[in-house]
Amino acid sequence: MLKAVWPYGTIAAVILTVGGYLALTGEEKVPIRYKTMPVTRGTIASGVTATGMINPVLSVLVGAQVTGRVKSLHADFNSVVKAGDIIAEIDPAVYQARRDQAAANLATAQASVANASATMAQRKRELDRVSRLLEQQFVSQNEVDLAVTLHQGAVAQLEVAHAQVKQAEAQLRAADLDLKYTVIRAPVDGIVIARNVEVGQTVTSGFQTPNLFLIAQDLARMQIDTSVSEADIGGITIGNAASFTVDAYPSEEFTGTVKQVRLAPVNIQNVVTYNVVIEVDNHDFRLKPGMTAHVVVTVSKKDDVLRVPSAALRFTLPAPDRPALASKAAGSPDSRTEAGVPSKRVWKLGSSGTPEAVTVRLGTSDAQYVEILEGSLKEGEEVLIGMEASRHKKADPLPPGFNPTQKRGKSRDGGL
């Protein structure tokens, strides 16, 4: 039986085909693409972040000074009221009866005064008569002394009657006040933002006054009560500008001004904070009481400074991609100069498109940019903030059905 014979030309063609494919299937080096941002000039504002609640500048709790059943309500949520307007009434029947009783007691006391006054006048006449008879020796000295004693008693009784009148008048005034307090009036101009009672509900006035309404005097002016940690409070002063956002309008930024830095510390689990009050204009009434505000208080602001994006300071070029640039970048990636100013290494694109390391001295920073105090960076240069692709990629896989050992044709001798 004849064996298949492979000609030398066919074998050479197979070897060349396999070698060429293996060369193509190796790793192919592609250019590195970097994400960059330019060095710019602009404003940098550093600030202190805090969270607080939006409240009215002045809010008044309206309570009941007497106990009783709520007879009627004349104000509801969001009602606009003026000072002196009736907003609720408590059933006055009990207090009207007390007032009538106090008035009767006063009338009785006044009648007692009239009776005591008449008695005193009678004792005065008796004393005068006995005194004249004593001069004529018709009565004894003992009778005169008795008349004097009776007159003095009548005078004292009249004074007691006058005191009882004053007491009855005071009781009447107290009853009038209680009766007056059954009508609850708005103490200030404003808007009712809370109502805590219903008609028919009984309110009890004791050591703590029950709160019936909460009235905000002016919702066009609001304030944010924030808590600032003791580490950040040193940079905040009255008049600092502040910006904030609320969850109701997440894409919009509002502004305000620091109105007050309260000195009373708040210690919660050994964390000391201070209340910073920020005044806010709310002329469009979009801000509602109780909203949570995310505040940034501007501590320092610099205009027209050289700045780089904060992302450039966080970027580090991978070691395999770094060129030999030790001579161009003095110092360690993170260090401090003799003046105590922090320094940092950043990467920029050189004129040939290759990365170059530059050490810079840093200044003020905010959420997006960092000020460059000293370094070889110039406005308009591109600094690296990331990489868009890996350095290598694989070639396409083997084509379907490819077999490098497959016989390309018959041998010359057609041999089988």
Side-chain angles (χ1 to χ4, degrees):
M1 186 175 181
L2 297 177
K3 295 182 179 179
V5 178
W6 285 54
Y8 291 106
T10 302
I11 296 174
V14 171
I15 293 174
L16 291 175
T17 301
V18 173
Y21 184 78
L22 291 176
L24 291 175
T25 55
E27 292 184 342
E28 179 183 354
K29 188 173 182 180
V30 297
I32 305 173
R33 299 180 61 186
Y34 298 103
K35 297 180 181 179
T36 63
M37 289 187 69
V39 180
T40 60
R41 282 192 174 273
T43 300
I44 292 182
S46 62
V48 174
T49 60
T51 302
M53 181 175 293
I54 299 177
N55 296 313
V57 175
L58 177 62
S59 57
V60 180
L61 285 170
V62 182
Q65 293 182 261
V66 294
T67 299
R69 181 179 59 85
V70 177
K71 180 180 179 182
S72 61
L73 294 173
H74 301 276
D76 203 348
F77 292 94
N78 301 336
S79 296
V80 179
V81 296
K82 299 291 184 181
D85 287 351
I86 298 176
I87 56 178
E89 291 184 69
I90 294 177
D91 189 0
V94 175
Y95 299 97
Q96 182 64 52
R98 293 179 183 177
R99 195 267 176 198
D100 294 341
Q101 182 179 359
N105 292 338
L106 176 59
T108 301
Q110 291 172 340
S112 298
V113 169
N115 184 35
S117 180
T119 302
M120 187 192 69
Q122 175 63 24
R123 299 305 182 190
K124 181 67 170 60
R125 289 192 294 269
E126 291 177 354
L127 177 59
D128 293 341
R129 184 167 54 251
V130 172
S131 297
R132 288 194 298 269
L133 292 176
L134 179 62
E135 294 175 357
Q136 299 174 6
Q137 297 183 353
F138 289 132
V139 293
S140 65
Q141 183 62 41
N142 184 47
E143 293 181 8
V144 174
D145 294 340
L146 181 59
V148 170
T149 301
L150 293 175
H151 178 263
Q152 291 175 343
V155 172
Q157 187 62 36
L158 179 60
E159 291 177 354
V160 171
H162 281 298
Q164 290 175 344
V165 168
K166 292 181 179 179
Q167 183 179 12
E169 289 175 345
Q171 292 175 349
L172 180 60
R173 286 194 299 269
D176 284 335
L177 284 176
D178 287 343
L179 183 61
K180 177 184 176 182
Y181 290 149
T182 60
V183 178
I184 301 173
R185 300 178 182 272
V188 294
D189 298 346
I191 300 176
V192 177
I193 61 177
R195 174 178 61 81
N196 303 321
V197 292
E198 299 288 347
V199 174
Q201 182 177 343
T202 300
V203 294
T204 303
S205 178
F207 293 103
Q208 185 176 2
T209 302
N211 297 322
L212 309 184
F213 296 91
L214 177 61
I215 299 178
Q217 187 174 17
D218 185 10
L219 292 182
R221 291 169 47 250
M222 305 286 278
Q223 70 180 30
I224 306 175
D225 296 312
T226 65
S227 296
V228 178
S229 66
E230 59 178 328
D232 298 326
I233 197 65
I236 298 179
T237 58
I238 296 175
N240 284 148
S243 61
F244 66 95
T245 59
V246 294
D247 294 338
Y249 312 102
S251 61
E252 186 168 356
E253 186 175 83
F254 299 87
T255 59
T257 305
V258 175
K259 176 184 177 183
Q260 190 179 49
V261 180
R262 295 180 178 171
L263 302 179
V266 179
N267 192 330
I268 301 177
Q269 295 182 351
N270 294 328
V271 177
V272 178
T273 59
Y274 293 87
N275 187 10
V276 176
V277 181
I278 300 172
E279 190 174 22
V280 178
D281 181 20
N282 189 35
H283 62 278
D284 53 4
F285 298 100
R286 289 194 299 167
L287 299 176
K288 307 295 188 294
M291 284 184 171
T292 300
H294 308 282
V295 185
V296 177
V297 180
T298 302
V299 176
S300 64
K301 184 177 180 181
K302 292 184 178 180
D303 298 321
D304 193 29
V305 297
L306 191 66
R307 61 186 187 178
V308 295
S310 301
L313 303 177
R314 297 190 295 266
F315 173 75
T316 301
L317 195 66
D321 297 320
R322 294 184 186 180
L325 298 173
S327 61
K328 296 183 179 180
S332 61
D334 295 287
S335 61
R336 288 187 176 268
T337 63
E338 294 181 359
V341 180
S343 64
K344 184 77 175 181
R345 175 182 294 177
V346 297
W347 295 87
K348 71 174 183 178
L349 281 182
S351 58
S352 60
T354 58
E356 296 181 3
V358 179
T359 300
V360 294
R361 293 174 58 200
L362 307 179
T364 304
S365 63
D366 58 15
Q368 296 179 333
Y369 295 97
V370 179
E371 179 189 9
I372 300 300
L373 296 178
E374 187 177 306
S376 60
L377 288 180
K378 298 180 181 179
E379 183 179 0
E381 290 184 325
E382 297 288 334
V383 292
L384 276 59
I385 63 171
M387 300 176 64
E388 294 185 355
S390 61
R391 298 178 63 252
H392 302 89
K393 68 176 183 179
K394 292 285 186 177
D396 294 336
L398 291 173
F402 178 80
N403 185 359
T405 61
Q406 183 180 1
K407 186 168 60 173
R408 296 302 182 99
K410 296 182 179 180
S411 64
R412 288 184 183 180
D413 56 3
L416 284 178

mmCIF file of all heavy atoms in Angstrom, residues 49-75:
data_model
loop_
_atom_site.group_PDB
_atom_site.id
_atom_site.type_symbol
_atom_site.label_atom_id
_atom_site.label_comp_id
_atom_site.label_asym_id
_atom_site.label_seq_id
_atom_site.Cartn_x
_atom_site.Cartn_y
_atom_site.Cartn_z
ATOM 1 N N THR A 49 -19.242 72.679 55.425
ATOM 2 C CA THR A 49 -20.525 72.036 55.148
ATOM 3 C C THR A 49 -21.248 71.726 56.459
ATOM 4 O O THR A 49 -20.621 71.410 57.468
ATOM 5 C CB THR A 49 -20.335 70.742 54.349
ATOM 6 O OG1 THR A 49 -19.511 69.847 55.105
ATOM 7 C CG2 THR A 49 -19.670 71.039 53.020
ATOM 8 N N ALA A 50 -22.550 71.835 56.404
ATOM 9 C CA ALA A 50 -23.384 71.552 57.580
ATOM 10 C C ALA A 50 -24.789 71.213 57.094
ATOM 11 O O ALA A 50 -25.147 71.465 55.940
ATOM 12 C CB ALA A 50 -23.411 72.739 58.533
ATOM 13 N N THR A 51 -25.554 70.650 57.995
ATOM 14 C CA THR A 51 -26.950 70.320 57.713
ATOM 15 C C THR A 51 -27.821 70.978 58.772
ATOM 16 O O THR A 51 -27.475 70.970 59.954
ATOM 17 C CB THR A 51 -27.176 68.801 57.724
ATOM 18 O OG1 THR A 51 -26.317 68.195 56.755
ATOM 19 C CG2 THR A 51 -28.615 68.462 57.378
ATOM 20 N N GLY A 52 -28.930 71.556 58.336
ATOM 21 C CA GLY A 52 -29.810 72.235 59.282
ATOM 22 C C GLY A 52 -31.252 72.183 58.832
ATOM 23 O O GLY A 52 -31.581 71.620 57.780
ATOM 24 N N MET A 53 -32.108 72.790 59.643
ATOM 25 C CA MET A 53 -33.536 72.809 59.365
ATOM 26 C C MET A 53 -33.996 74.245 59.128
ATOM 27 O O MET A 53 -33.557 75.162 59.819
ATOM 28 C CB MET A 53 -34.324 72.188 60.524
ATOM 29 C CG MET A 53 -35.835 72.147 60.312
ATOM 30 S SD MET A 53 -36.704 71.276 61.645
ATOM 31 C CE MET A 53 -36.108 69.612 61.381
ATOM 32 N N ILE A 54 -34.861 74.411 58.148
ATOM 33 C CA ILE A 54 -35.412 75.730 57.833
ATOM 34 C C ILE A 54 -36.565 76.016 58.787
ATOM 35 O O ILE A 54 -37.496 75.210 58.919
ATOM 36 C CB ILE A 54 -35.874 75.786 56.375
ATOM 37 C CG1 ILE A 54 -34.687 75.533 55.438
ATOM 38 C CG2 ILE A 54 -36.524 77.121 56.059
ATOM 39 C CD1 ILE A 54 -35.052 75.497 53.972
ATOM 40 N N ASN A 55 -36.505 77.180 59.443
ATOM 41 C CA ASN A 55 -37.532 77.581 60.400
ATOM 42 C C ASN A 55 -37.927 79.035 60.153
ATOM 43 O O ASN A 55 -37.137 79.812 59.609
ATOM 44 C CB ASN A 55 -37.029 77.439 61.839
ATOM 45 C CG ASN A 55 -36.731 75.999 62.205
ATOM 46 O OD1 ASN A 55 -37.531 75.114 61.943
ATOM 47 N ND2 ASN A 55 -35.571 75.758 62.793
ATOM 48 N N PRO A 56 -39.127 79.419 60.570
ATOM 49 C CA PRO A 56 -39.478 80.839 60.514
ATOM 50 C C PRO A 56 -38.589 81.640 61.470
ATOM 51 O O PRO A 56 -38.126 81.131 62.494
ATOM 52 C CB PRO A 56 -40.946 80.864 60.972
ATOM 53 C CG PRO A 56 -41.439 79.467 60.791
ATOM 54 C CD PRO A 56 -40.252 78.578 60.996
ATOM 55 N N VAL A 57 -38.347 82.905 61.121
ATOM 56 C CA VAL A 57 -37.539 83.760 61.990
ATOM 57 C C VAL A 57 -38.232 83.938 63.335
ATOM 58 O O VAL A 57 -37.601 83.876 64.397
ATOM 59 C CB VAL A 57 -37.290 85.121 61.320
ATOM 60 C CG1 VAL A 57 -36.565 86.063 62.271
ATOM 61 C CG2 VAL A 57 -36.483 84.932 60.053
ATOM 62 N N LEU A 58 -39.543 84.138 63.332
ATOM 63 C CA LEU A 58 -40.309 84.293 64.571
ATOM 64 C C LEU A 58 -41.573 83.457 64.473
ATOM 65 O O LEU A 58 -42.388 83.649 63.567
ATOM 66 C CB LEU A 58 -40.685 85.760 64.819
ATOM 67 C CG LEU A 58 -41.546 86.019 66.057
ATOM 68 C CD1 LEU A 58 -40.795 85.608 67.324
ATOM 69 C CD2 LEU A 58 -41.948 87.487 66.147
ATOM 70 N N SER A 59 -41.712 82.511 65.370
ATOM 71 C CA SER A 59 -42.923 81.689 65.446
ATOM 72 C C SER A 59 -43.442 81.733 66.873
ATOM 73 O O SER A 59 -42.662 81.719 67.828
ATOM 74 C CB SER A 59 -42.642 80.249 65.019
ATOM 75 O OG SER A 59 -41.622 79.680 65.807
ATOM 76 N N VAL A 60 -44.765 81.813 67.010
ATOM 77 C CA VAL A 60 -45.407 81.963 68.314
ATOM 78 C C VAL A 60 -46.329 80.785 68.558
ATOM 79 O O VAL A 60 -47.187 80.470 67.717
ATOM 80 C CB VAL A 60 -46.200 83.287 68.384
ATOM 81 C CG1 VAL A 60 -46.853 83.435 69.747
ATOM 82 C CG2 VAL A 60 -45.288 84.467 68.094
ATOM 83 N N LEU A 61 -46.154 80.145 69.706
ATOM 84 C CA LEU A 61 -47.075 79.095 70.137
ATOM 85 C C LEU A 61 -48.244 79.739 70.869
ATOM 86 O O LEU A 61 -48.055 80.450 71.850
ATOM 87 C CB LEU A 61 -46.367 78.095 71.052
ATOM 88 C CG LEU A 61 -45.409 77.115 70.375
ATOM 89 C CD1 LEU A 61 -44.604 76.361 71.433
ATOM 90 C CD2 LEU A 61 -46.177 76.135 69.509
ATOM 91 N N VAL A 62 -49.448 79.496 70.391
ATOM 92 C CA VAL A 62 -50.649 80.060 71.007
ATOM 93 C C VAL A 62 -51.301 78.970 71.837
ATOM 94 O O VAL A 62 -51.645 77.905 71.325
ATOM 95 C CB VAL A 62 -51.627 80.579 69.933
ATOM 96 C CG1 VAL A 62 -52.848 81.201 70.599
ATOM 97 C CG2 VAL A 62 -50.938 81.596 69.039
ATOM 98 N N GLY A 63 -51.461 79.244 73.132
ATOM 99 C CA GLY A 63 -52.043 78.262 74.031
ATOM 100 C C GLY A 63 -53.318 78.756 74.678
ATOM 101 O O GLY A 63 -53.787 79.870 74.428
ATOM 102 N N ALA A 64 -53.888 77.910 75.534
ATOM 103 C CA ALA A 64 -55.103 78.238 76.280
ATOM 104 C C ALA A 64 -54.739 78.465 77.735
ATOM 105 O O ALA A 64 -54.051 77.655 78.343
ATOM 106 C CB ALA A 64 -56.126 77.116 76.159
ATOM 107 N N GLN A 65 -55.199 79.583 78.293
ATOM 108 C CA GLN A 65 -54.911 79.904 79.683
ATOM 109 C C GLN A 65 -56.000 79.440 80.639
ATOM 110 O O GLN A 65 -55.857 79.570 81.841
ATOM 111 C CB GLN A 65 -54.705 81.413 79.832
ATOM 112 C CG GLN A 65 -53.463 81.920 79.126
ATOM 113 C CD GLN A 65 -53.250 83.398 79.335
ATOM 114 O OE1 GLN A 65 -53.588 84.206 78.491
ATOM 115 N NE2 GLN A 65 -52.684 83.764 80.481
ATOM 116 N N VAL A 66 -57.089 78.887 80.090
ATOM 117 C CA VAL A 66 -58.169 78.360 80.924
ATOM 118 C C VAL A 66 -58.503 76.958 80.439
ATOM 119 O O VAL A 66 -58.197 76.569 79.311
ATOM 120 C CB VAL A 66 -59.424 79.265 80.864
ATOM 121 C CG1 VAL A 66 -59.133 80.618 81.484
ATOM 122 C CG2 VAL A 66 -59.922 79.427 79.433
ATOM 123 N N THR A 67 -59.140 76.210 81.326
ATOM 124 C CA THR A 67 -59.540 74.849 81.015
ATOM 125 C C THR A 67 -60.982 74.844 80.523
ATOM 126 O O THR A 67 -61.837 75.545 81.075
ATOM 127 C CB THR A 67 -59.407 73.961 82.254
ATOM 128 O OG1 THR A 67 -58.043 73.953 82.668
ATOM 129 C CG2 THR A 67 -59.860 72.544 81.971
ATOM 130 N N GLY A 68 -61.227 74.050 79.504
ATOM 131 C CA GLY A 68 -62.594 73.956 79.009
ATOM 132 C C GLY A 68 -62.675 73.228 77.685
ATOM 133 O O GLY A 68 -61.672 72.734 77.150
ATOM 134 N N ARG A 69 -63.875 73.173 77.155
ATOM 135 C CA ARG A 69 -64.128 72.499 75.882
ATOM 136 C C ARG A 69 -64.078 73.513 74.751
ATOM 137 O O ARG A 69 -64.607 74.629 74.859
ATOM 138 C CB ARG A 69 -65.497 71.827 75.927
ATOM 139 C CG ARG A 69 -65.882 71.072 74.663
ATOM 140 C CD ARG A 69 -67.239 70.417 74.828
ATOM 141 N NE ARG A 69 -68.258 71.423 75.122
ATOM 142 C CZ ARG A 69 -68.911 72.132 74.201
ATOM 143 N NH1 ARG A 69 -68.632 71.951 72.922
ATOM 144 N NH2 ARG A 69 -69.831 73.004 74.556
ATOM 145 N N VAL A 70 -63.394 73.134 73.663
ATOM 146 C CA VAL A 70 -63.286 74.021 72.506
ATOM 147 C C VAL A 70 -64.661 74.142 71.862
ATOM 148 O O VAL A 70 -65.233 73.152 71.388
ATOM 149 C CB VAL A 70 -62.249 73.499 71.497
ATOM 150 C CG1 VAL A 70 -62.195 74.395 70.268
ATOM 151 C CG2 VAL A 70 -60.876 73.395 72.144
ATOM 152 N N LYS A 71 -65.175 75.366 71.852
ATOM 153 C CA LYS A 71 -66.515 75.609 71.316
ATOM 154 C C LYS A 71 -66.494 75.833 69.811
ATOM 155 O O LYS A 71 -67.352 75.330 69.076
ATOM 156 C CB LYS A 71 -67.121 76.825 72.018
ATOM 157 C CG LYS A 71 -68.518 77.185 71.545
ATOM 158 C CD LYS A 71 -69.028 78.412 72.297
ATOM 159 C CE LYS A 71 -70.424 78.804 71.818
ATOM 160 N NZ LYS A 71 -70.904 80.019 72.515
ATOM 161 N N SER A 72 -65.511 76.575 69.319
ATOM 162 C CA SER A 72 -65.443 76.870 67.887
ATOM 163 C C SER A 72 -64.012 77.228 67.515
ATOM 164 O O SER A 72 -63.218 77.672 68.350
ATOM 165 C CB SER A 72 -66.384 78.014 67.509
ATOM 166 O OG SER A 72 -66.023 79.202 68.213
ATOM 167 N N LEU A 73 -63.675 77.016 66.237
ATOM 168 C CA LEU A 73 -62.380 77.374 65.677
ATOM 169 C C LEU A 73 -62.605 78.354 64.533
ATOM 170 O O LEU A 73 -63.483 78.147 63.687
ATOM 171 C CB LEU A 73 -61.636 76.133 65.155
ATOM 172 C CG LEU A 73 -61.200 75.099 66.191
ATOM 173 C CD1 LEU A 73 -60.631 73.861 65.505
ATOM 174 C CD2 LEU A 73 -60.165 75.683 67.137
ATOM 175 N N HIS A 74 -61.809 79.404 64.521
ATOM 176 C CA HIS A 74 -61.941 80.426 63.485
ATOM 177 C C HIS A 74 -60.691 80.531 62.612
ATOM 178 O O HIS A 74 -60.576 81.469 61.819
ATOM 179 C CB HIS A 74 -62.220 81.782 64.130
ATOM 180 C CG HIS A 74 -63.470 81.798 64.957
ATOM 181 N ND1 HIS A 74 -64.729 82.008 64.430
ATOM 182 C CD2 HIS A 74 -63.658 81.579 66.295
ATOM 183 C CE1 HIS A 74 -65.635 81.961 65.382
ATOM 184 N NE2 HIS A 74 -65.010 81.695 66.542
ATOM 185 N N ALA A 75 -59.757 79.596 62.745
ATOM 186 C CA ALA A 75 -58.542 79.574 61.928
ATOM 187 C C ALA A 75 -58.151 78.128 61.696
ATOM 188 O O ALA A 75 -58.429 77.251 62.518
ATOM 189 C CB ALA A 75 -57.399 80.331 62.604
#
